[in-house]
Structures are given as structure tokens and as C-alpha cells.
């Protein structure tokens, strides 16, 4: 009876968390961010791009700006405001300020050359060259267009503006259109493409993996549902799971940060506005069926039918299973093979039934039959709460067995 009573208590706690987790923790804070941001948008002085810096050592302005640019929350307690991406907030400030501008960049580049810097090879893609610079001990990233004529650099910055404010989207602290440069926070853990080494360095693999999954889905919900009233942003630069993960950074608190927004076209199926991810033929199991060339004849981009954000939903099962470090229903469907059950980590034993349900819905060949990102988010929240409850039950069983062994 004692065991049953404890199970009932644990179940009630889990159900309470399930009801409140999404509605209170997620939706409330995001709506609060967006409401506060709306109040700040009219405070920008368009004619003074360096109002935040009044001359002297640029490191002072940079360090102040970084105080609010890193981290995954804004609150009255830390004195930071939720600002649009073309503005920044300073600790203790009551309004959003213009980003650090070209004057600061000129001094920054000069100072960094004197103090030393190095290039972040393999990061930034084909659009941006990233340089890690140190300014009086403060590390940050200088992003510069590889080619000043690239329109993608300006397009990427416009996307950052459109996506802001959101706690899981990178927030620039400086921008100079003249030199096509951005100043960004530096995340030492680097790209989520290095997932396994990052997770191994964490204090709790299960906790971190589950948080990364929730962050990924939260970002997808923002792209599809809340970022724009004109439609859904589609993640085009994602032909493999490795390429998709390279679009994200991992913060020092093991949160997923959307970093690369250079290829996010806007789709709106209800208005007949669909997209094509480039003009080359796409292939591979990670690419949604509607994105693949459906004919035996040579590829012809003019004959390729455009698509919408449901192509992102096709990639969800593989992506979240990769983040969890579990063999995937996606892989089983594509290859007909699944890892032996006995070799799976404990979390995979508990999570695979939930992943099966998500995969069954998301891997529909007909994109109109796939669920929305919001539906996936609800399933993920349920999965996380039930997983934590199952772990608590197992720990309680072990505890009771130990107690009985002592009697």
C-alpha cells in the first residue's frame, strides 16, 4: 500500500507539471517577451547608430551589451529588456538602444589586431567569415560577409530582426551595414553539430538531451507560428541532420541557440505562397519527399513543385532522436534495421514509445497529413514529464527495495 500511495503522489505531480509546463513556462514568458518588445520598438533613434557608445574604449560598450545578449532569459531582475534584433539592451537600462555601430567596429578591428584574434574555421558557412576576437579579456565573434556583394548577409540580418525577440535566437550586439559586419556573443561550446562531445561534458546527459529537444521544438514553433504573421519560416539549410544541427549553437548552460538564419524563406500555404530551397536537386532520406525530384528524367528546377514548412516536420523524428542519442524510428523506417534493444541506454527504453508516435505522424509522405510544430511540442512536453515520472518511480522502487532489505 505504501508503494501504491507513493505512485499516486508521483503521478499527480507529473500530471500537474504536464498541464502547467507548456502553458506557464513556455507560452507566458514568450508572450511577455513579445509584449515588452512591442513597447520598446519605438524607442530607437535611427539617426544615431552609436548612441550606445560615447567614445573612448569600445570594450566598455561591448561588455555592457554582452551583459544582456547572452543567456536565455530577460527579466526585470537582471535589468535586461527583450529588444528587437536591430537594438540591444544594457543591464539596468529601461529602454532598448541602437546596436553598436560602425565607429565601434573600426576601433574593435584595430584593437583586435593588436591583441590577437583567430578565425573560426568551418563555421559561418559560405556567407560569413567568423573571427574570434578578444577585447580586454572579453571574447566575441566578428562576423563579416565573405563577399560584400552577397545579399544573403543582409537577408540574414533581416531575418534576425524578424525573429526577435526570442530567448533561443542569437542576439547581435553590433551591426555595420557599410562593412557588412556583425558583432555576436561567443559561445565556447560551439556548434550543436558537435553534440556528443558537448553532452559528454555536461553534468547530466539525460537532463541536457531532453532540454535540447525541447529547445529545438520551441524554436521550430517560433519559426512556424509566432515569428511572423505573414507565414512560416522554413529551415532550408538542412539536407542532413548534421547540417541542420550546424545551424545551432549550444550555450554554456546547455541551451540550443539558433545562429544561422541565412536560409529561412517565408511560406504561407493559405495564400498560395510556397518555397523552394535553392535551385539544385535535393536527395537523401532526411529530405522530405516533396523536396525530392519525383521523375526519372533529368532534374529541371522549373518543373519542381514548391512546398511549405511541413518539410521541417518530416525531419523532426530524426533530429530529436539524434539529440536524445537514441536509435530512431526514422532510421528503422528508412533502413529496416533497429539497434538491439539490450544495447540501448535506459532513457531510450523509456522514450522510444513516444518517439514511435511522433515518427508515425511526422513521417507521412503526404505533407498535408503531417502535424504542426505545436502538436509536436505538446507530444514532447508529455514525453518529458512522463519520462521524469518514470525515472522517479524507478528510483522509488530502488529506495523501497533497499528499505525492505534492511528490515
Amino acid at each position: 500500500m505504501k508503494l501504491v500511495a507513493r505512485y499516486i503522489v508521483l503521478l499527480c505531480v507529473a500530471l500537474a507539471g504536464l498541464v502547467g509546463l507548456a502553458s506557464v513556462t513556455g507560452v507566458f514568458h514568450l508572450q511577455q517577451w513579445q509584449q515588452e518588445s512591442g513597447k520598446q520598438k519605438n524607442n530607437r533613434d535611427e539617426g544615431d547608430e552609436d548612441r550606445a557608445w560615447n567614445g573612448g574604449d569600445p570594450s566598455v560598450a561591448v561588455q555592457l551589451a554582452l551583459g544582456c545578449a547572452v543567456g536565455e532569459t530577460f527579466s526585470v531582475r537582471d535589468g535586461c529588456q527583450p529588444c528587437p534584433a536591430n537594438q540591444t539592451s544594457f543591464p539596468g537600462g529601461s529602454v532598448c538602444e541602437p546596436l553598436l555601430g560602425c565607429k565601434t567596429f573600426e576601433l574593435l578591428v584595430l584593437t583586435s589586431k593588436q591583441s590577437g584574434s583567430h578565425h573560426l574555421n568551418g563555421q559561418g558557412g559560405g556567407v560569413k567569415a567568423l573571427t574570434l576576437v578578444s577585447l580586454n579579456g572579453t571574447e566575441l565573434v566578428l562576423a563579416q560577409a565573405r563577399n560584400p556583394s552577397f545579399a544573403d548577409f543582409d537577408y540574414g540580418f533581416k531575418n534576425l530582426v524578424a525573429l526577435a525577440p526570442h530567448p533561443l535566437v542569437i542576439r547581435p550586439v553590433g551591426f555595420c551595414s557599410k562593412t557588412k559586419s556583425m558583432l555576436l556573443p561567443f559561445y565556447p561550446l560551439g556548434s550543436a553539430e558537435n553534440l556528443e562531445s558537448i553532452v559528454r561534458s555536461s553534468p547530466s546527459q539525460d537532463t541536457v538531451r531532453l532540454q535540447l529537444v525541447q529547445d529545438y521544438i520551441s524554436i521550430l514553433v517560433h519559426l512556424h507560428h509566432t515569428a511572423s504573421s505573414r507565414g512560416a519560416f522554413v529551415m532550408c539549410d538542412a539536407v542532413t541532420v548534421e547540417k541542420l544541427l550546424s545551424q545551432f549553437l549550444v550555450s554554456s548552460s546547455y541551451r540550443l541557440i539558433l545562429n544561422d538564419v541565412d536560409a529561412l524563406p517565408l511560406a504561407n500555404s493559405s495564400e498560395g505562397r510556397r518555397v523552394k530551397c535553392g535551385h539544385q536537386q535535393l536527395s537523401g532520406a532526411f529530405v522530405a519527399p516533396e523536396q525530392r525530384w519525383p521523375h526519372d528524367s533529368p532534374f529541371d528546377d522549373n518543373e519542381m513543385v514548391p512546398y511549405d514548412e511541413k518539410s521541417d516536420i518530416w525531419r523532426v523524428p530524426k533530429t530529436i532522436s539524434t539529440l536524445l542519442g537514441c536509435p530512431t524510428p526514422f532510421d528503422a523506417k528508412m533502413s529496416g534495421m533497429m539497434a538491439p534493444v539490450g544495447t540501448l541506454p535506459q532513457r531510450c527504453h523509456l522514450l522510444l514509445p513516444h518517439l514511435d508516435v511522433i515518427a508515425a505522424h511526422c513521417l507521412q509522405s503526404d505533407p498535408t497529413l503531417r502535424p504542426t510544430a505545436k502538436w509536436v511540442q505538446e507530444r514532447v512536453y508529455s514525453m518529458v514529464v512522463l519520462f521524469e515520472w518514470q525515472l522517479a518511480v524507478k528510483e522509488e522502487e530502488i529506495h523501497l527495495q533497499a528499505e525492505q532489505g534492511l528490515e
Side-chain angles (χ1 to χ4, degrees), residues 8 52 126 132 154 170 180 212 276 279 314 355 372:
I8 292 174
L132 178 63
D154 292 329
I170 196 165
K180 291 192 181 296
L212 292 175
K276 288 194 290 187
H279 303 285
W314 173 269
L355 297 178
T372 64

Side-chain angles (χ1 to χ4, degrees), residues 214-398:
Q214 293 177 85
D215 288 346
Y216 164 63
I217 298 301
S218 294
I219 292 169
L220 206 58
V221 167
H222 184 56
L223 292 176
H224 289 186
H225 298 286
T226 62
S228 175
S229 60
R230 298 184 296 112
F233 289 97
V234 181
M235 296 192 72
C236 269
D237 209 356
V239 294
T240 65
V241 68
E242 293 79 14
K243 184 62 176 173
L244 185 146
L245 291 178
S246 74
Q247 312 302 298
F248 301 93
L249 299 170
V250 180
S251 74
S252 57
S253 53
Y254 299 97
R255 303 297 299 274
L256 207 61
I257 306 294
L258 179 60
N259 174 57
D260 191 341
V261 297
D262 295 332
L264 292 177
L266 198 64
N268 190 326
S269 295
S270 62
E271 296 181 0
R273 187 170 68 248
R274 297 171 182 265
V275 304
K276 288 194 290 187
C277 292
H279 303 285
Q280 305 297 318
Q281 183 174 358
L282 303 178
S283 60
F286 196 63
V287 174
E290 66 271 20
Q291 294 181 286
R292 304 174 205 157
W293 178 241
H295 309 297
D296 294 330
S297 58
F299 176 76
D300 184 350
D301 183 55
N302 294 322
E303 298 295 324
M304 188 67 197
V305 178
Y307 33 85
D308 60 17
E309 73 277 8
K310 290 300 182 73
S311 59
D312 287 337
I313 301 300
W314 173 269
R315 292 186 277 268
V316 163
K318 173 67 174 179
T319 304
I320 63 177
S321 297
T322 300
L323 290 170
L324 291 171
C326 296
T328 74
F330 179 97
D331 291 334
K333 179 173 181 176
M334 295 304 149
S335 66
M337 299 175 62
M338 179 63 84
V341 174
T343 65
L344 301 181
Q346 182 187 31
R347 65 176 175 276
C348 296
H349 287 288
L350 299 176
L351 293 173
L352 277 175
H354 304 284
L355 297 178
D356 281 334
V357 173
I358 292 173
H361 285 79
C362 294
L363 296 179
Q364 295 284 345
S365 296
D366 182 351
T368 64
L369 298 179
R370 294 175 208 150
T372 64
K374 285 184 176 180
W375 180 91
V376 176
Q377 187 178 49
E378 292 172 359
R379 297 298 309 186
V380 166
Y381 278 134
S382 301
M383 177 181 75
V384 171
V385 172
L386 291 175
F387 172 76
E388 291 174 346
W389 174 71
Q390 287 173 306
L391 282 185
V393 167
K394 286 185 175 295
E395 290 175 0
E396 186 66 18
E397 288 177 345
I398 293 172

Side-chain angles (χ1 to χ4, degrees), residues 32-355:
Q32 187 179 45
W33 265 52
Q34 292 168 333
Q35 290 168 359
E36 291 299 319
S37 173
K39 297 176 184 177
Q40 302 293 344
K41 286 184 178 179
N42 294 325
N43 290 326
R44 186 184 183 206
D45 183 351
E46 296 286 352
D48 188 1
E49 67 170 2
D50 263 353
R51 184 163 60 120
W53 172 69
N54 295 315
D57 188 347
S59 64
V60 175
V62 168
Q63 288 169 345
L64 283 172
L66 283 173
C68 285
V70 296
E72 298 78 38
T73 60
F74 284 139
S75 69
V76 176
R77 291 188 300 277
D78 61 25
C80 295
Q81 304 295 327
C83 299
N86 58 350
Q87 299 176 41
T88 190
S89 175
F90 293 84
S94 60
V95 298
C96 293
E97 301 278 1
L99 295 180
L100 304 173
C102 295
K103 292 179 183 178
T104 303
F105 274 73
E106 291 170 3
L107 285 172
L108 174 65
V109 172
L110 176 63
T111 307
S112 66
K113 286 181 179 178
Q114 294 172 345
S115 62
S117 62
H118 70 270
H119 294 285
L120 299 173
N121 295 323
Q123 299 186 34
V127 176
K128 299 184 293 290
L130 304 183
T131 304
L132 178 63
V133 298
S134 178
L135 190 60
N136 288 357
T138 300
E139 290 185 314
L140 54 152
V141 175
L142 181 63
Q144 297 172 297
R146 294 187 183 275
N147 187 329
S149 64
F150 279 178
D152 283 352
F153 187 85
D154 292 329
Y155 176 76
F157 182 72
K158 289 179 180 177
N159 278 343
L160 281 179
V161 173
L163 295 173
H166 191 279
L168 302 177
V169 177
I170 196 165
R171 300 190 289 278
V173 295
F175 180 74
C176 180
S177 59
K178 182 173 64 177
T179 59
K180 291 192 181 296
S181 303
M182 272 191 288
L183 198 58
L184 302 165
F186 173 57
Y187 290 91
L189 291 180
S191 169
E193 191 176 7
N194 304 315
L195 172 72
E196 291 306 317
S197 61
I198 291 172
V199 169
R200 282 196 296 271
S201 71
S202 69
S204 172
Q205 288 200 29
D206 288 352
T207 301
V208 167
R209 287 182 183 277
L210 287 168
Q211 184 60 64
L212 292 175
V213 168
Q214 293 177 85
D215 288 346
Y216 164 63
I217 298 301
S218 294
I219 292 169
L220 206 58
V221 167
H222 184 56
L223 292 176
H224 289 186
H225 298 286
T226 62
S228 175
S229 60
R230 298 184 296 112
F233 289 97
V234 181
M235 296 192 72
C236 269
D237 209 356
V239 294
T240 65
V241 68
E242 293 79 14
K243 184 62 176 173
L244 185 146
L245 291 178
S246 74
Q247 312 302 298
F248 301 93
L249 299 170
V250 180
S251 74
S252 57
S253 53
Y254 299 97
R255 303 297 299 274
L256 207 61
I257 306 294
L258 179 60
N259 174 57
D260 191 341
V261 297
D262 295 332
L264 292 177
L266 198 64
N268 190 326
S269 295
S270 62
E271 296 181 0
R273 187 170 68 248
R274 297 171 182 265
V275 304
K276 288 194 290 187
C277 292
H279 303 285
Q280 305 297 318
Q281 183 174 358
L282 303 178
S283 60
F286 196 63
V287 174
E290 66 271 20
Q291 294 181 286
R292 304 174 205 157
W293 178 241
H295 309 297
D296 294 330
S297 58
F299 176 76
D300 184 350
D301 183 55
N302 294 322
E303 298 295 324
M304 188 67 197
V305 178
Y307 33 85
D308 60 17
E309 73 277 8
K310 290 300 182 73
S311 59
D312 287 337
I313 301 300
W314 173 269
R315 292 186 277 268
V316 163
K318 173 67 174 179
T319 304
I320 63 177
S321 297
T322 300
L323 290 170
L324 291 171
C326 296
T328 74
F330 179 97
D331 291 334
K333 179 173 181 176
M334 295 304 149
S335 66
M337 299 175 62
M338 179 63 84
V341 174
T343 65
L344 301 181
Q346 182 187 31
R347 65 176 175 276
C348 296
H349 287 288
L350 299 176
L351 293 173
L352 277 175
H354 304 284
L355 297 178

